[in-house]
Amino acid sequence: MSGFSRSAALLLCLLGCNVWKAVTKTLRERRAQEVTLKVHVSDSSTHQPLDKVFIEIFTNQTSFASGYSETNGIAFITFHYTLGAQLFIVATKSSYVPNSSPWLATKLPLFSSVSLLLHPERIATLMVYDDVVQIVSGFQGTLIQPRIQFQRRFLNLPKNLSYRSLIAFLTVAVTPWEVGGFPYLQGIDVNRTGNSSRFELTPVTAVSVHLLNSDGTEIQVNGPICVTIPLPANSRLKHDDALPAWKFDKKIGAWLKSGLGIIQKEGDYFTWTYFAPQLGYWIAAMSPQSPGNLAGVGASDITVYHTVFLLAILGGMTIILLVLLCLLIYYCSVVGNCSIL
């Protein structure tokens, strides 16, 4: 028995040592460790490095590290990282479309670098009328051009500025390569209860629209802004289809769902029209929650809502009728027993 006891004790010791090693390794991996990330940013058209690019690192829609690129387009950002955490690296610079890239490590790297290309914003044609303001991409011709329109009274122009100092930018992406120049397509949808879900988006088109002063200060527009973007010829969408709109929020580094746009037909072309609450970065994109061509998305949601509501009412009425029926049967049985007595 003593020999068996010694063997059992030795086995338990070995088992305890292995468990302790596993626990300490797990704790070490879960403990945030310092990581230095090299981020290289360059112009997508000239491939020249870009300096003074603001770089932010996000996790769970929260920025926790940032820095600026040097003249060589490189920034070294040091932060504490927990293995397995999903990060998003966002690069922004005035007169450029922001871009971002996901970053994740399951094993602490000795070295890691990320390269980002920034697309230059395209100068657009600005037309200011007595009642409306129009921003049109390129030259106005016979073909349908991307266009932005809003009421002139929605333009919050400072008193010391005139319309002559305004510069409009309108950049539209249709091809996959062009859309790739926009921030990483992770969408966030917040429901009525406040819970949010994240998923990958399938873009149809993307647009960046801004109105700047001559010194680069962005001019705010408060009010409904009509955004009309021509769709690619190979699009499978049909007239009156609904397609969700997503806005890129720089504060969280992700795309937020912001209503629905409608597919309309103008001559031989299809366009996506959406009334945006403000200027900025927008995409028309499908999500796993809205697959297919999204025909009648709004009507479908309303139909489902009313169907569930009516079923709840019918269920409640059925329960009430069953209770009344039970009471009636009980009353009849009691009255019958009384009459017999």
Side-chain angles (χ1 to χ4, degrees), residues 20-39:
W20 174 253
K21 289 181 180 179
V23 170
T24 53
K25 181 180 179 182
T26 302
L27 291 175
R28 187 168 56 253
E29 289 178 351
R30 291 189 175 276
R31 188 176 65 248
Q33 302 178 67
E34 189 174 276
V35 173
T36 299
L37 183 65
K38 176 184 176 182
V39 182

Side-chain angles (χ1 to χ4, degrees), residues 187-260:
I188 298 178
D189 189 9
V190 181
N191 57 26
R192 296 184 181 90
T193 61
N195 296 323
S196 62
S197 54
R198 294 178 292 179
F199 34 72
E200 303 297 316
L201 300 176
T202 303
V204 176
T205 185
V207 57
S208 168
V209 55
H210 299 277
L211 199 58
L212 303 181
N213 186 15
S214 56
D215 62 358
T217 304
E218 189 158 357
I219 304 299
Q220 298 298 322
V221 178
N222 297 323
I225 302 168
C226 183
V227 179
T228 302
I229 307 298
L231 296 180
N234 59 353
S235 173
R236 297 182 180 180
L237 296 166
K238 302 185 297 295
H239 180 65
D240 283 340
D241 281 356
L243 188 61
W246 306 77
K247 180 184 184 300
F248 183 72
D249 191 335
K250 289 184 178 181
K251 295 180 180 179
I252 64 174
W255 296 91
L256 288 177
K257 190 175 182 180
S258 183
L260 293 172

Side-chain angles (χ1 to χ4, degrees), residues 132-183:
V132 299
V133 176
Q134 289 184 345
I135 301 174
V136 184
S137 176
F139 297 98
Q140 301 185 37
T142 56
L143 297 179
I144 297 176
Q145 297 288 340
R147 61 186 183 273
I148 311 296
Q149 180 172 302
F150 53 88
Q151 295 293 318
R152 187 170 68 92
R153 57 189 174 90
F154 295 152
L155 183 60
N156 296 328
L157 196 64
K159 294 182 179 180
N160 59 341
L161 294 180
S162 65
Y163 296 117
R164 296 182 179 180
S165 61
L166 297 181
I167 304 174
F169 292 90
L170 178 57
T171 306
V172 178
V174 176
T175 65
W177 182 84
E178 292 174 336
V179 175
F182 277 69

